[in-house]
Amino acid sequence: MKKSITLTTSLTTDLAGDEPSVNRLTPALARLFEVIKSLGYTLVGFTLLTGLWFLISKITEGGLPTPVATFQVFWELVKDPFYDYGPNDKGIGLQLISSLGRVSLGFLLGSLFAIPVGVLMGANTFCKKVFYPIVQILKPVSPLAWFPIGLVAFESASMATIFIIFITSLWPTLINTAFGVASIPDDHKNVAKAFGFSKWKYLTKVLIPFSLPHIITGLRLSIGVAWLVIVAGEMLSGGIGIGFFVWDSWNALSLEKVISAILIIGLVGLLLDRGFSFVEKKVTYSI
Amino acid sequence: MSYLKIENMEIAFQSMKGKFVAVKDINLDIEKGQIVSIIGHSGCGKSTIMNSIAGMTFPTKGRVILNGGEIKGPGPDRGIVFQNYSLLPWLTVYENIFQAVDAALRDLSKAEKKETVERYLRMVNLFDHREKYPKQISGGMKQRVAIARAFAIDPDVLLLDEPFGALDALTKAALHIELLKLWNLTQRSKTIVMVTHDIEEAIFLSDRIVVMNNGPAATIREIEEVHLPRPRNKKDTVNQPEYIAIRERLLSLLIEKVSIDEKDFYKEEAAA
Amino acid sequence: MKKSIYITSKLNLVFASVLLLFLLSAAPVRENVADKEPIRLGFIPLTDCAPIVMAKELGLFEKYGVNVIVSKEASWANVRDKILTGELDGAHCLFSMPLSVYTGVGGKEGSEMKIAMVLNNNGQAITLSKDFCGKVGFKQTNKVAPVVAAKLKADKEVTFAMTFPGGTHDIWLRNWLAAAGVSQKTSRIITIPPPQMVSNMKVGNMDGYCVGEPWNGVAVKQNVGFTEISSQDIWKNHPEKALVVNTAFSETRREDLKAVMKAVLEACKWLDNRANRKKAAEVIGKAPYVNAPADVIEARLMGDYNLGCDQGTEIYTDDYMLFHRGGETNFPKKSHAIWFLSQFVRFDYLKEAPDYKAIADKIILQDLYREVATSMKIKIPSDDMKPFALEIDKVSFDPNNPGDYLTKVKKSNAINQ
């Protein structure tokens, strides 16, 4: 709270150049002021983007639809997001939830695999030396390349989609976890050694608490990857989902819907990222 | 047979450049309940010797024997206070001590462990701060927690590695008293080995002071006996003749130039 | 503030809600109805998905006592995979896809999908880019080669697109190129989805493509290309799409499959009535189905082809897209299967001649169709296995002796196929 008042004060002084009256603002108002200001910056950014967009749509003579046309379509999509007229005709909200479900499953499975393996790799030099080359080879492989393998392995397009999310999103978590675990300071290790911590105590009271911020960072990056991949994956496998919606709209050459979907996808990605950042802040400790 | 005995110890490390000998020919006998300081310049192997008693480092020659048994590794019979406090930042003051007690004194019941932790917290006057996190307390308080933690596991030997190095003089003085208080409260039965840079601190606290030569391959230069009576207090003890004598002796052993000599100025000017 | 507990409970909340989310939506693909599992039929957004879509929309599946779910799929490869794994029981599918997959051209060799019946004839076309406007006119096949050669010289490459290797569009395209005398070795022939065809042509990356309606009509409407030749001009009343089914489904739920076929047959009959075509275009044009302008769909369904490029309109009177033709369309002919297999050999997809008859017997569920048609009193053609010839090259094809045809056709089209 104190911090925001100081910041507000200094900024207002910069702008106004004289004695700020903001000192008298209550903490709550000061915070509100902060929020409004950041919203303002965002608005400026988006206005610039929209302006550029409008320019491009005029230059390409309607090849790229105008912001206005797109917004009309966007509004149509979001004003009734949960209608359900059958398997091929569902509201955008339902499609989003469907995609999020797949992402969640793939991401969860990926995390359940990545965290223990990451801990192993970070704590044990042998494991690190054995696994690291494998990680380096598999990490850059595109999810689209994994899809046929998933199809053969699981005999199902929907399982294959979840598989490609699993296999591409687990790397950031794995690498960050390994890094966190490997960088435990000797100080903490010495405490555990000196006082005779059991392996379990070391794991739960030293290793995991220390590595937790790194793990959460990894998870945050992973969910970003997973969300990216689901769109591509659904384009390949069909079904209900925001990715398939993009593909289908593309098939019908409805760029307004494609762009609207891009906006929605971006917003959801942002929210996911913010969610994890929030958790990250909560588990970060200062020395 | 002395309680803690270091016998012909040499500790060497393999490095890129070959074998590096930290300390050699270390022979030291410490009686139970003694407070011994090890003092010397940086790099003279003080911490290395500490680590060998702690069981964190192993001698390449010779051995360390505690109460008849050779030291093979760390154990709950030796409590350590580290240079950097080494409190776990995500645990509260209470939890930091509790986890150590929980790990070292496994036979106690949960209630007994809790009682132990609280007792030692009170001994260092931190009971009211037990729910705070390390980042919320001062350096002096952190070190008090570390000391309480080391004492709480009821070890036979306490090893303090420059425990007050990072603190200001006033806090340091207060903590000297705290340390002696704890030592007294446990019937002066605990053997304390301490590494320090501070001559005054060494004299005030110790029964014996081990003065090291410079490293590498550092050896013991001299061992000073300190016969100052206990309990010692800050105001009176520093004026006692023995105190002054030991201090002079240590200064001459450790410090090359004791004052600024006017002659030196001219020497340098003439040279320049 | 017990931070560690706080963290744990927050994290727990996050994980719990994530888990809940997944449970809500990553539900199994099939709904497990206690009595009967619904039948899943897939389709791709093309005008000729109409029999399946209309059968659903007109309530015909229910009439014949089956619960059918119709689902839009992402691509032909997708349809292939899902039919093979059983995620789809059947689909609106390229007639030659099962043959292509079985022989290893467009899928894992030996994988079996069955052809239950044919859905439509005609209604596909080859669209050329505007760059060729004025240089080659509608059906002027003999003018194509020099124009393509000129383009090849100027741009170093010429690109044609089709929808699936060994699929119907692939074969129409290659037949056309062969008849035009264009070497398939020097042209790039690639597989891409319909909308990329239109967009690429718009920016000048694509020289021509072969695909089903409405994408040819759309290209004309968007002034991106023009219709060079329609598939019915290549082979009048050719088999185009079929109801392709999963093998296990055809065996274990035979009666259900027959009910599906009856519903689809009735839809085909309905569609051949020109008076119904306007409504059909409106229904299938909607977003959940083909997702294209109804007027473009309707025009070509009626045989009204605005050719683009100021070439005027071509009216097809009896060979626009047809779905029934009194039973002629729907009967799956083994001779047609053998013809497609011979095309795989002709165009070097297969090095050796396959066992034509055996494959046709295995893939085409002709007896099943006969049962269904008989029960519905639909005429069954009697001219399967008789020789026939395509309009575009007039080379006679005898299904009993494909080798002979291959020799003839390789001689007459001296430029390598």
Side-chain angles (χ1 to χ4, degrees):
Chain A
M1 285 306 161
K2 284 210 192 106
K3 244 197 209 150
S4 54
I5 296 177
T6 329
L7 189 63
T8 318
T9 316
S10 61
L11 278 168
T12 343
T13 323
D14 285 341
L15 295 170
D18 55 17
E19 193 58 41
S21 56
V22 145
N23 280 327
R24 289 185 234 120
L25 283 177
T26 66
L29 262 168
R31 218 165 129 61
L32 186 65
F33 194 58
E34 274 300 298
V35 170
I36 293 178
K37 262 220 284 228
S38 66
L39 273 175
Y41 291 127
T42 316
L43 218 68
V44 170
F46 272 110
T47 313
L48 279 168
L49 187 68
T50 313
L52 189 69
W53 176 5
F54 185 72
L55 217 72
I56 297 178
S57 73
K58 281 278 168 266
I59 292 174
T60 60
E61 286 162 35
L64 192 71
T66 65
V68 176
T70 309
F71 183 71
Q72 281 171 336
V73 172
F74 181 80
W75 184 244
E76 280 300 315
L77 283 173
V78 300
K79 75 174 184 200
D80 187 10
F82 295 112
Y83 74 83
D84 186 350
Y85 300 144
N88 304 308
D89 196 9
K90 293 191 200 275
I92 197 89
L94 287 177
Q95 304 204 39
L96 257 175
I97 291 180
S98 180
S99 298
L100 280 168
R102 280 187 213 105
V103 164
S104 309
L105 186 57
F107 171 75
L108 255 158
L109 290 171
S111 310
L112 280 169
F113 176 83
I115 295 178
V117 175
V119 169
L120 255 169
M121 276 178 70
N124 184 313
T125 323
F126 176 74
C127 283
K128 172 173 166 229
K129 291 202 175 124
V130 166
F131 288 136
Y132 200 58
I134 302 176
V135 171
Q136 285 176 306
I137 293 272
L138 294 182
K139 185 167 95 97
V141 175
S142 159
L144 307 179
W146 287 110
F147 188 79
I149 296 180
L151 208 61
V152 166
F154 297 97
E155 299 248 310
S156 151
S158 36
M159 287 311 295
T161 315
I162 294 176
F163 172 69
I164 67 174
I165 295 173
F166 163 80
I167 196 81
T168 42
S169 69
L170 66 85
W171 306 114
T173 302
L174 189 138
I175 292 171
N176 272 280
T177 304
F179 175 75
V181 172
S183 53
I184 299 179
D186 280 338
D187 269 352
H188 300 327
K189 289 191 195 162
N190 287 340
V191 167
K193 237 201 278 184
F195 292 98
F197 279 23
S198 67
K199 271 214 155 53
W200 177 253
K201 196 183 272 289
Y202 176 70
L203 190 73
T204 53
K205 298 287 176 189
V206 180
L207 189 141
I208 292 192
F210 177 81
S211 319
L212 204 57
H214 292 105
I215 297 177
I216 304 288
T217 304
L219 288 174
R220 179 170 67 87
L221 295 170
S222 286
I223 192 78
V225 172
W227 188 237
L228 213 90
V229 168
I230 186 67
V231 176
E234 284 176 4
M235 286 190 185
L236 285 177
S237 67
I240 310 283
I242 192 85
F244 186 60
F245 177 80
V246 172
W247 177 249
D248 194 37
S249 310
W250 171 222
N251 266 309
L253 298 171
S254 166
L255 280 181
E256 294 92 350
K257 283 198 184 156
V258 171
I259 297 176
S260 303
I262 289 177
L263 282 168
I264 296 174
I265 292 168
L267 262 158
V268 175
L270 179 76
L271 286 169
L272 286 171
D273 189 77
R274 283 288 158 88
F276 274 91
S277 287
F278 178 75
V279 177
E280 222 175 309
K281 284 202 189 78
K282 289 290 167 197
V283 304
T284 307
Y285 46 82
S286 24
I287 316 271
Chain B
M1 181 66 157
S2 52
Y3 185 67
L4 175 62
K5 187 177 175 66
I6 303 181
E7 213 171 72
N8 289 325
M9 185 172 78
E10 177 193 281
I11 302 180
F13 301 105
Q14 274 300 110
S15 76
M16 299 285 247
K17 304 182 190 133
K19 188 169 150 185
F20 169 78
V21 180
V23 295
K24 64 186 267 187
D25 297 327
I26 305 294
N27 281 289
L28 189 58
D29 288 291
I30 299 174
E31 295 306 321
K32 191 159 158 55
Q34 277 195 326
I35 301 184
V36 177
S37 296
I38 309 177
I39 196 165
H41 289 270
S42 298
C44 70
K46 319 190 283 289
S47 293
T48 313
I49 297 180
M50 279 278 286
N51 283 333
S52 68
I53 307 177
M56 309 271 241
T57 309
F58 296 102
T60 36
K61 281 202 189 109
R63 53 200 188 132
V64 184
I65 303 166
L66 173 62
N67 205 12
E70 195 172 327
I71 290 185
K72 292 255 161 41
D77 56 340
R78 283 149 286 150
I80 309 180
V81 178
F82 299 91
Q83 222 166 340
N84 309 319
Y85 331 128
S86 289
L87 300 182
L88 297 176
W90 46 82
L91 297 178
T92 59
V93 164
Y94 178 89
E95 275 292 314
N96 263 289
I97 303 180
F98 181 83
Q99 289 306 323
V101 169
D102 190 41
L105 303 175
R106 289 166 207 233
D107 299 329
L108 296 183
S109 75
K110 187 134 193 251
E112 282 169 332
K113 288 177 190 168
K114 181 166 188 279
E115 190 275 319
T116 307
V117 176
E118 288 180 354
R119 180 163 28 107
Y120 280 93
L121 277 169
R122 281 185 219 279
M123 276 197 226
V124 293
N125 287 322
L126 283 176
F127 185 77
D128 293 332
H129 302 275
R130 66 193 181 284
E131 292 302 320
K132 294 215 174 116
Y133 285 90
K135 73 170 189 251
Q136 294 170 298
I137 57 179
S138 70
M141 290 162 87
K142 279 199 265 246
Q143 202 54 305
R144 274 192 273 160
V145 177
I147 294 173
R149 178 174 67 182
F151 267 89
I153 63 170
D154 200 24
D156 298 317
V157 180
L158 271 143
L159 303 167
L160 311 171
D161 192 348
E162 296 194 53
F164 311 124
L167 302 172
D168 64 271
L170 298 175
T171 315
K172 205 192 283 208
L175 284 178
H176 290 161
I177 305 297
E178 293 280 336
L179 180 65
L180 288 177
K181 187 173 95 174
L182 271 176
W183 184 62
N184 269 293
L185 283 171
T186 52
Q187 283 77 54
R188 300 192 190 177
S189 61
K190 299 198 190 300
T191 312
I192 300 182
V193 182
M194 192 172 77
V195 162
T196 179
H197 276 125
D198 187 340
I199 295 178
E200 320 260 341
E201 175 176 271
I203 307 174
F204 183 77
L205 293 173
S206 325
D207 297 311
R208 303 168 74 202
I209 303 176
V210 176
V211 184
M212 300 290 298
N213 275 314
N214 287 342
T219 52
I220 295 179
R221 186 161 178 181
E222 207 174 288
I223 300 181
E224 288 288 321
E225 302 289 326
V226 181
H227 294 122
L228 295 163
R230 293 190 193 273
R232 301 174 187 171
N233 87 52
K234 285 279 176 186
K235 283 202 272 188
D236 303 327
T237 312
V238 293
N239 295 320
Q240 290 185 21
E242 193 190 341
Y243 184 95
I244 297 169
I246 300 176
R247 195 166 118 255
E248 237 183 74
R249 176 88 191 115
L250 291 176
L251 275 173
S252 60
L253 283 175
L254 291 168
I255 301 179
E256 268 177 46
K257 288 193 195 290
V258 182
S259 68
I260 306 171
D261 194 335
E262 277 204 1
K263 284 196 242 98
D264 292 333
F265 282 129
Y266 296 122
K267 233 191 280 176
E268 274 151 31
E269 262 198 11
Chain C
M1 180 185 45
K2 295 238 185 255
K3 211 182 213 172
S4 43
I5 299 175
Y6 180 62
I7 297 165
T8 318
S9 66
K10 257 287 195 295
L11 274 177
N12 278 340
L13 198 66
V14 170
F15 282 139
S17 37
V18 161
L19 213 62
L20 194 68
L21 212 63
F22 131 64
L23 284 169
L24 275 175
S25 39
V29 171
R30 293 166 187 278
E31 300 138 39
N32 275 324
V33 178
D35 38 71
K36 235 184 192 188
E37 223 178 275
I39 298 167
R40 296 191 89 90
L41 297 180
F43 71 91
I44 295 281
L46 290 166
T47 304
D48 45 28
C49 73
I52 294 187
V53 170
M54 292 317 296
K56 174 83 183 170
E57 289 285 323
L58 296 170
L60 296 173
F61 290 125
E62 278 148 22
K63 175 176 167 185
Y64 287 97
V66 274
N67 177 10
V68 170
I69 296 174
V70 164
S71 82
K72 195 193 296 198
E73 299 304 327
S75 62
W76 288 126
N78 203 231
V79 167
R80 168 199 66 199
D81 295 335
K82 286 190 178 173
I83 294 184
L84 287 173
T85 62
E87 273 171 279
L88 286 174
D89 296 304
H92 152 245
C93 192
L94 303 162
F95 177 87
S96 58
M97 188 202 278
L99 304 162
S100 166
V101 169
Y102 187 79
T103 52
V105 173
K108 184 153 164 244
E109 192 179 337
S111 313
E112 280 181 35
M113 303 149 64
K114 308 281 189 183
I115 297 174
M117 59 182 275
V118 177
L119 293 175
N120 68 318
N121 302 140
N122 315 322
Q124 325 295 297
I126 292 179
T127 298
L128 290 180
S129 106
K130 259 194 335 197
D131 291 346
F132 297 110
C133 198
K135 297 186 187 148
V136 52
F138 181 63
K139 284 206 295 200
Q140 291 180 346
T141 315
N142 50 347
K143 284 214 190 138
V144 173
V147 171
V148 169
K151 175 95 192 336
L152 197 59
K153 200 161 167 205
D155 295 349
K156 302 286 186 282
E157 72 176 20
V158 68
T159 309
F160 297 103
M162 45 78 182
T163 57
F164 188 81
T168 51
H169 305 124
D170 184 18
I171 302 302
W172 309 145
L173 179 71
R174 290 182 189 269
N175 266 274
W176 175 73
L177 286 171
V182 175
S183 162
Q184 291 175 30
K185 293 253 157 57
T186 53
S187 331
R188 271 183 79 213
I189 298 181
I190 59 182
T191 309
I192 58 174
Q196 284 186 41
M197 291 178 176
V198 177
S199 319
N200 268 294
M201 195 171 267
K202 212 180 213 173
V203 301
N205 281 348
M206 180 81 64
D207 298 302
Y209 58 73
C210 180
V211 78
E213 296 304 339
W215 300 110
N216 303 293
V218 166
V220 168
K221 182 161 186 190
Q222 296 197 352
N223 200 19
V224 156
F226 64 95
T227 306
E228 166 54 23
I229 189 168
S230 70
S231 58
Q232 52 265 36
D233 295 321
I234 296 175
W235 178 3
K236 184 161 166 161
N237 294 332
H238 63 84
E240 179 47 48
K241 303 291 190 300
L243 175 64
V244 171
V245 293
N246 169 273
T247 307
F249 174 76
S250 70
E251 285 158 12
T252 58
R253 293 179 73 177
R254 207 164 181 277
E255 289 308 307
D256 284 340
L257 175 53
K258 280 165 75 172
V260 167
M261 288 165 72
K262 289 183 192 168
V264 172
L265 273 166
E266 195 174 314
C268 288
K269 257 202 251 178
W270 183 89
L271 281 164
D272 264 6
N273 181 351
R274 281 176 69 97
N276 290 329
R277 291 207 168 188
K278 189 179 172 72
K279 175 170 177 185
E282 277 164 23
V283 172
I284 68 176
K286 290 210 209 98
Y289 297 122
V290 179
N291 206 354
D295 57 344
V296 173
I297 299 176
E298 189 193 333
R300 295 223 165 180
L301 264 180
M302 298 301 242
D304 213 315
Y305 280 48
N306 174 7
L307 299 171
C309 220
D310 295 322
Q311 296 180 98
T313 313
E314 172 84 359
I315 311 272
Y316 288 93
T317 51
D318 66 344
D319 54 355
Y320 45 88
M321 193 185 285
L322 293 165
F323 300 91
H324 188 55
R325 286 171 57 227
E328 279 291 328
T329 302
N330 310 110
F331 180 73
K333 287 191 177 158
K334 293 188 184 174
S335 55
H336 291 166
I338 295 172
W339 183 85
F340 274 104
L341 290 168
S342 73
Q343 300 299 302
F344 298 161
V345 180
R346 178 183 176 191
F347 296 120
D348 284 332
Y349 275 130
L350 297 174
K351 298 288 172 232
E352 284 168 16
D355 191 341
Y356 295 103
K357 226 46 265 304
I359 298 176
D361 286 337
K362 191 187 275 257
I363 298 292
I364 295 195
L365 299 175
Q366 215 174 64
D367 291 332
L368 180 71
Y369 178 81
R370 281 177 206 277
E371 279 177 45
V372 174
T374 314
S375 75
M376 288 182 83
K377 303 209 188 337
I378 291 176
K379 179 166 165 249
I380 295 171
S382 51
D383 61 348
D384 195 7
M385 300 314 281
K386 291 222 175 70
F388 59 89
L390 268 59
E391 273 66 20
I392 197 162
D393 60 6
K394 313 243 192 304
V395 178
S396 170
F397 176 81
D398 182 357
N400 299 296
N401 188 357
D404 188 44
Y405 160 83
L406 284 169
T407 328
K408 271 189 288 185
V409 90
K410 279 194 202 258
K411 265 198 278 197
S412 69
N413 297 111
I415 299 174
N416 39 19
Q417 272 102 191

